[in-house]
Amino acid sequence: MFEIKTKTKIAPDIFRFEIYAPLIAKKFQAGQFIVLRPLESSERVPLTIMKANREAGTITLIVKAIGLSTRQLAELKEGDAVADLLGPLGKPSEIGKFGTVVVVGGGVGTAVAFAVAQTLKEAGNRIIIISGARDQSFVILEDDLREISDELIMATDDGSYGVKGFVTELLKDLYRKGEQIDRVIAAGPLPMMKLIADITREHGTPTIVSLNPIMVDGIGMCGGCRALVNGKIVFVCVDGPEFDAHQVDFDSLMRRNNAYRDIEQEKEHACKLDAQIEEMKRA
Amino acid sequence: MPNDLPLKERMQIARHVMPAQDAQVRITNFDEVNLGFTPELAREEAMRCLQCKDAPCSQGCPVHVHIPDFINQIVEGDMLKAADVLLQDNLLPAICGRVCPQEKFCESRCVLGKKGLPVAIGSLERYTADATANQRAARPVGDLPPATGRKVALIGSGPASLACAGDLIRMGHAVTVFEALHAFGGVLVYGIPEFRLPKRIVEYEVNVLRRLGVRFEKNVVIGMTLTLNELMADQGYDAVFIGAGAGLPHFLGVPGEELIGIYSSNELLTRVNLMKAYQSGAVTPIFSYQDKTVAVFGAGNTALDSARTALRLGAKKVHIIYRRSEEEMPARHEEVLHAKEEGVEFTFLAAPLEFIDNGQGWLKGVRLQRMQLGEPDQSGRRSPVPIEGSEFTMELDLAVIAIGNSSNPLLRDTPGLQFTRRGTLEVGENSLQTTKKGVFAGGDIVTGGATVISAMGAGRQAAQEINRYLLELNQPAG
Ligand SMILES: Cc1cc2nc3c(=O)[nH]c(=O)nc-3n(C[C@H](O)[C@H](O)[C@H](O)COP(=O)(O)OP(=O)(O)OC[C@H]3O[C@@H](n4cnc5c(N)ncnc54)[C@H](O)[C@@H]3O)c2cc1C
Ligand SMILES: Cc1cc2nc3c(=O)[nH]c(=O)nc-3n(C[C@H](O)[C@H](O)[C@H](O)COP(=O)(O)OP(=O)(O)OC[C@H]3O[C@@H](n4cnc5c(N)ncnc54)[C@H](O)[C@@H]3O)c2cc1C
Ligand code: SF4
Ligand code: SF4
Ligand code: FES
């Protein structure tokens, strides 16, 4: 079924998967995502499609293992199949000829923004990518990004690789240098996207963010992914995931995304304990 | 009791209430509340039926189950025959016996109800289906007509599609059901809780269809993974049935609704049912309900299911808050009774004005306003009117919004399909054909949230219409 064709570890806890899903590969448009369940017992995990190979029938995903289900995925091997895979979901990105587009990616957000950047490049835009990572070990996708950008700024928080600094500062630098920016696309942690929105608002630059709320079904049924945009409730899975950054209420979304943190941690703790007990029983 | 008990004596028998788990026990588990009739109880209840010639009860049933006939077979002791009478009209008796609002349908017309209590038709239906489940599963499938060579795609796997599939496959067509989720059954698996409708019963029905040759494909969102046009033009489906349901939850639209601790009934129920949060070891996170005060807004089946689920998750107090009065509650009668027994509290004639923040983005309470009933509205129900100066506050830890769903937007952009302003699909009243040729629809996607049996009825009607359409395709043009 949905066989894992290749799996590569590209940074600590970050994996690149190519998964066989021909129908999805055929349909995929930049900005869309899938929902998968690694195992029959897993949660439904939303992940952005980085790219698709129509001939081979595969899609490429970049996954950061942060919790139970993403870790279950990370433990699968080449040749294994994921239990469920559904997509492509969400509205495709708005593609047009805007001029100079700055694409800002933080962490795996870089992978989330990749397809949009690539498609905008193909549509004749000048693409500047700012990709931020904590330190050198977390730098990802540099070759892929170079190929689809006119200018690539690789940055690390501690300066261990590329430019030193946060992506927000580097964006400000571009404005300071007098760069004519016609559009900004941002993907990454919510606090980062919020800061980017604040910066570009000042400059009046149209800005699109790819939101990543907690989802359950991914097809508009649970309302768990809702966000306030322009004061109205939207369902990110069917109305998004991309929205006008200047209209998004980031604060309520950040709270919602943290709402389950304690429960998740307890659960993981319990799972680890269970595993340890099992381990001890076997020994 | 003899089979030929005189009428008078039959009328002396009091209605039997199905045995149920004790209320205090059942709120600590997710097992089915109702335990089902014993053979003795079932037969005694069946003896109450007067075998009315004109069967008014059947007229009250949306699919006109031959009620006196199946009940008569119970009295005669031929359960398999009783089941077959049911199955003629109702492909999902174990489910409908459990979830039909019988007090509005069949039982509302029972002549015994005029003076006393109607025959417990739903309970007997459930009993018949359950008592014969093993025997029916062991029966050979029987002969299907020769294959017609026609292929039909069904979108969604709720009761509308399941019923449609059952009929189409028996007409000799090749049938594939496409479901977006990872489990089959629609609301029957993700919405209605285990304690009302055990999931093994839905699985049983899906397996019956599988044995007949229906193909089930999960993880396919029609409109995204495959479009309607691709199904018909590339994959060679001659006709399509859309049974996509009404899944998009409404919110109240009052200030503070984005606070943490407020969510839709669909989210709560999906996490608990589809993602199995009710089982220990499930991975889906769920807010802790232990010792919490919870309010559920709404008064339909969904609201009651949410309230009773909250109790079972450990809530200390659960309030149902409804802006109309008890009389207007759309939920099944039995559920209201069960909820009351379990300790759910009802606040009628009150509507939320705003949710209150605890200062950290979590829900702390709700400000409510008392309502009174005014003139009847379009639906014929008296509409609630706010009473000035009657605001009051209720402390809360969690809130569940269960005020209805509209149809999913996934198919709205499909060329050729026409939707109403309410978002439901336009179909011909009798043909059930959409504005797109060869594409039919039924169930909640057409009616808005309704009932399992009406969705099933629409699925069957659509099967007839699709069959007719396919036969016409065989006629040479001209
Ligand atoms: C449209 C969309 C696209 C996404 N694309 C990618 C992608 O390409 N690559 C990738 O690695 N991740 C992506 N994500 C995020 C990914 O879905 C989550 O990391 C994943 O669901 C976590 O599941 P888990 O069971 O492993 O962790 P959990 O155990 O569920 O969560 C672990 C911790 O992370 C928090 N958390 C869970 N989900 C999110 C979230 N969506 N945002 C922020 N915090 C969260 C939890 O509150 C908890 O504290 C995307 C999310 C969305 C909605
Ligand atoms: C909590 C709850 C309790 C209820 N209790 C009762 C009750 O006690 N008695 C009663 O009679 N009725 C009850 N109802 C109502 C009843 O369940 C519905 O009227 C009935 O299920 C509608 O059936 P359906 O086949 O039209 O759609 P659904 O059951 O909604 O099924 C639709 C299916 O289609 C799938 N789908 C949607 N879009 C797509 C797509 N684009 N591609 C592929 N698949 C898709 C969905 O995932 C879903 O599985 C209840 C409803 C809820 C929510
Ligand atoms: S299907 Fe429902 S309405 Fe019809 S007879 Fe059975 S319980 Fe009554
Ligand atoms: S109306 Fe009541 S008594 Fe008469 S046949 Fe129907 S169930 Fe029996
Ligand atoms: S994830 Fe459930 S509605 Fe979007």
Side-chain angles (χ1 to χ4, degrees):
Chain A
M1 283 289 289
F2 303 113
E3 190 191 326
I4 298 175
K5 293 291 184 189
T6 68
K7 171 188 165 185
T8 328
K9 185 168 185 172
I10 58 172
D13 290 331
I14 303 181
F15 299 83
R16 179 183 189 132
F17 285 94
E18 269 180 292
I19 301 182
Y20 184 67
L23 289 179
I24 302 175
K26 188 172 151 207
K27 273 291 152 55
F28 161 67
Q29 288 174 272
Q32 291 184 302
F33 63 99
I34 52 97
V35 163
L36 66 71
R37 290 203 309 159
L39 310 175
E40 282 291 339
S41 59
S42 309
E43 276 194 80
R44 298 166 66 91
V45 182
L47 297 164
T48 309
I49 305 173
M50 177 187 160
K51 54 170 128 182
N53 181 334
R54 294 209 161 94
E55 286 73 47
T58 57
I59 55 171
T60 301
L61 309 173
I62 306 292
V63 187
K64 184 167 185 193
I66 60 159
L68 201 58
S69 298
T70 43
R71 238 168 251 152
Q72 287 169 335
L73 177 61
E75 273 159 26
L76 295 181
K77 295 185 286 294
E78 286 179 6
D80 289 346
V82 297
D84 296 291
L85 181 61
L86 167 73
L89 301 172
K91 294 214 159 91
S93 306
E94 185 194 345
I95 302 299
K97 205 162 168 197
F98 304 112
T100 297
V101 180
V102 177
V103 178
V104 187
V108 280
T110 304
V112 172
F114 179 87
V116 184
Q118 182 180 33
T119 314
L120 284 173
K121 168 86 179 152
E122 283 162 9
N125 295 282
R126 178 168 166 259
I127 305 291
I128 303 175
I129 297 182
I130 307 175
S131 172
R134 199 187 317 156
D135 60 41
Q136 183 170 12
S137 66
F138 283 98
V139 171
I140 55 169
L141 307 178
E142 185 170 2
D143 294 342
D144 300 88
L145 296 171
R146 180 142 293 133
E147 209 175 291
I148 59 154
S149 58
D150 295 276
E151 196 181 318
L152 175 64
I153 306 170
M154 297 301 284
T156 49
D157 299 353
D158 63 358
S160 56
Y161 190 80
V163 195
K164 179 175 166 40
F166 295 115
V167 289
T168 43
E169 287 310 312
L170 297 168
L171 176 62
K172 280 189 199 161
D173 281 348
L174 285 183
Y175 279 115
R176 250 177 249 134
K177 276 191 268 174
E179 185 75 62
Q180 165 63 40
I181 303 174
D182 299 299
R183 198 177 179 86
V184 171
I185 313 270
L190 287 167
M192 176 206 103
M193 291 195 277
K194 183 184 178 194
L195 286 174
I196 299 275
D198 290 343
I199 297 166
T200 60
R201 188 182 287 114
E202 264 173 50
H203 295 272
T205 316
T207 302
I208 302 293
V209 282
S210 181
L211 297 182
N212 50 5
I214 292 174
M215 294 186 173
V216 185
D217 56 307
I219 55 167
M221 198 188 76
C222 72
C225 65
R226 70 191 190 278
L228 277 180
V229 176
N230 199 13
K232 284 201 197 71
I233 291 180
V234 296
F235 288 9
V236 174
C237 67
V238 286
D239 300 325
E242 294 184 1
F243 293 96
D244 176 348
H246 299 149
Q247 312 242 342
V248 173
D249 179 354
F250 285 100
D251 293 338
S252 65
L253 198 55
M254 282 191 272
R255 280 200 303 262
R256 190 181 300 286
N257 266 16
N258 287 331
Y260 284 110
R261 181 162 289 162
D262 296 340
I263 309 173
E264 292 287 3
Q265 278 165 0
E266 266 168 43
K267 232 174 211 169
E268 273 216 36
H269 187 66
C271 280
K272 277 189 198 144
L273 271 181
D274 285 347
Q276 278 172 7
I277 293 167
E278 282 298 308
E279 210 50 28
M280 271 152 47
K281 274 193 203 148
R282 252 177 278 149
Chain B
M1 246 180 264
N3 284 3
D4 51 359
L5 201 67
L7 256 190
K8 251 218 179 110
E9 284 179 43
R10 290 186 183 220
M11 291 176 77
Q12 304 292 310
I13 312 171
R15 177 175 161 122
H16 294 78
V17 180
M18 204 187 315
Q21 280 195 69
D22 177 74
Q24 288 315 306
V25 175
R26 69 187 187 230
I27 59 171
T28 63
N29 65 48
F30 277 88
D31 299 339
E32 196 174 7
V33 167
N34 283 326
L35 300 171
F37 276 151
T38 58
E40 296 72 37
L41 285 178
R43 189 154 176 280
E44 275 185 28
E45 182 63 26
M47 298 283 290
R48 295 182 64 224
C49 171
L50 306 178
Q51 295 292 316
C52 313
K53 283 273 156 326
D54 52 345
C57 48
S58 290
Q59 296 312 308
C61 167
V63 299
H64 309 306
V65 164
H66 289 67
I67 295 169
D69 296 351
F70 97 81
I71 294 183
N72 187 39
Q73 294 303 332
I74 302 178
V75 175
E76 296 290 332
D78 193 339
M79 291 313 298
L80 212 47
K81 233 185 216 161
D84 285 334
V85 175
L86 275 174
L87 289 167
Q88 278 170 31
D89 306 293
N90 178 355
L91 297 181
L92 309 168
I95 295 170
C96 295
R98 286 174 166 83
V99 306
C100 266
Q102 287 94 7
E103 73 279 4
K104 288 197 194 91
F105 291 158
C106 50
E107 294 182 17
S108 75
R109 307 281 185 91
C110 174
V111 294
L112 290 188
K114 287 198 182 126
K115 279 206 182 128
L117 294 171
V119 174
I121 301 168
S123 302
L124 288 175
E125 182 165 321
R126 171 197 154 131
Y127 172 76
T128 306
D130 288 2
T132 55
N134 291 337
Q135 266 172 296
R136 284 187 288 129
R139 279 202 289 211
V141 169
D143 289 339
L144 290 175
T148 60
R150 295 291 179 191
K151 281 169 66 178
V152 188
L154 277 53
I155 304 177
S157 63
S161 286
L162 295 182
C164 192
D167 279 351
L168 286 170
I169 197 93
R170 287 186 181 90
M171 294 165 176
H173 307 302
V175 181
T176 309
V177 175
F178 293 98
E179 169 58 52
L181 294 173
H182 60 254
F184 301 109
V187 171
L188 307 178
V189 289
Y190 77 72
I192 304 181
E194 180 77 13
F195 59 81
R196 253 192 339 117
L197 179 63
K199 300 310 149 221
R200 65 180 153 77
I201 289 172
V202 185
E203 240 167 74
Y204 175 97
E205 297 301 343
V206 170
N207 283 333
V208 168
L209 293 174
R210 278 210 173 99
R211 280 212 304 157
L212 286 167
V214 175
R215 283 179 49 204
F216 283 90
E217 301 252 10
K218 58 177 182 168
N219 298 320
V220 183
V221 199
I222 302 299
M224 304 298 278
T225 318
L226 283 171
T227 62
L228 222 54
N229 276 338
E230 283 169 320
L231 282 177
M232 301 183 85
D234 305 348
Q235 305 226 345
Y237 286 95
D238 301 291
V240 174
F241 174 75
I242 304 179
L248 191 84
H250 292 167
F251 283 88
L252 292 161
V254 303
E257 205 169 11
E258 72 287 353
L259 293 171
I260 316 293
I262 305 176
Y263 53 15
S264 79
S265 52
N266 278 9
E267 181 173 358
L268 170 63
L269 295 172
T270 305
R271 284 190 186 276
V272 173
N273 298 322
L274 182 70
M275 304 311 292
K276 309 230 178 291
Y278 69 89
Q279 295 173 349
S280 69
V283 296
T284 196
I286 195 117
F287 293 126
S288 169
Y289 277 73
Q290 212 59 51
D291 294 324
K292 298 283 165 67
T293 302
V294 185
V296 178
F297 294 87
N301 287 319
T302 316
L304 286 163
D305 283 344
S306 303
R308 297 171 69 201
T309 295
L311 276 181
R312 282 159 176 76
L313 291 170
K316 175 175 70 185
K317 213 175 226 339
V318 179
H319 299 274
I320 289 265
I321 298 174
Y322 184 41
R323 61 199 183 109
R324 303 179 199 247
S325 76
E326 180 156 12
E327 240 166 76
E328 287 81 23
M329 279 183 84
R332 278 186 86 219
H333 185 59
E334 186 186 25
E335 310 314 326
V336 180
L337 257 155
H338 279 164
K340 284 186 177 165
E341 286 169 12
E342 291 169 8
V344 172
E345 293 185 17
F346 291 80
T347 303
F348 294 110
L349 291 165
L353 292 173
E354 74 175 317
F355 290 102
I356 306 165
D357 193 332
N358 76 345
Q360 279 146 11
W362 276 80
L363 174 69
K364 184 178 141 211
V366 62
R367 233 158 56 78
L368 297 161
Q369 184 171 38
R370 297 241 181 253
M371 312 294 269
Q372 61 193 11
L373 288 182
E375 295 301 307
D377 64 10
Q378 287 149 322
S379 70
R381 293 184 301 181
R382 295 175 63 195
S383 52
V385 185
I387 304 175
E388 291 303 325
S390 66
E391 293 83 0
F392 65 107
T393 303
M394 190 185 270
E395 300 252 322
L396 291 179
D397 302 303
L398 293 162
V400 183
I401 316 294
I403 55 166
N405 300 308
S406 49
S407 69
N408 200 289
L410 292 170
L411 284 163
R412 289 221 192 127
D413 297 335
T414 306
L417 289 185
Q418 195 134 13
F419 288 83
T420 65
R421 261 207 2 254
R422 288 169 52 221
T424 54
L425 248 177
E426 295 268 15
V427 294
E429 196 173 325
N430 295 315
S431 71
L432 296 189
Q433 189 160 200
T434 65
T435 42
K436 198 171 162 70
K437 191 163 171 273
V439 179
F440 299 75
D444 281 4
I445 185 87
V446 170
T447 55
T451 59
V452 172
I453 187 67
S454 49
M456 209 199 79
R460 300 201 71 185
Q461 188 188 337
Q464 292 295 336
E465 295 299 328
I466 291 170
N467 190 42
R468 193 196 330 261
Y469 171 82
L470 293 175
L471 289 177
E472 275 165 20
L473 283 187
N474 290 341
Q475 312 281 323

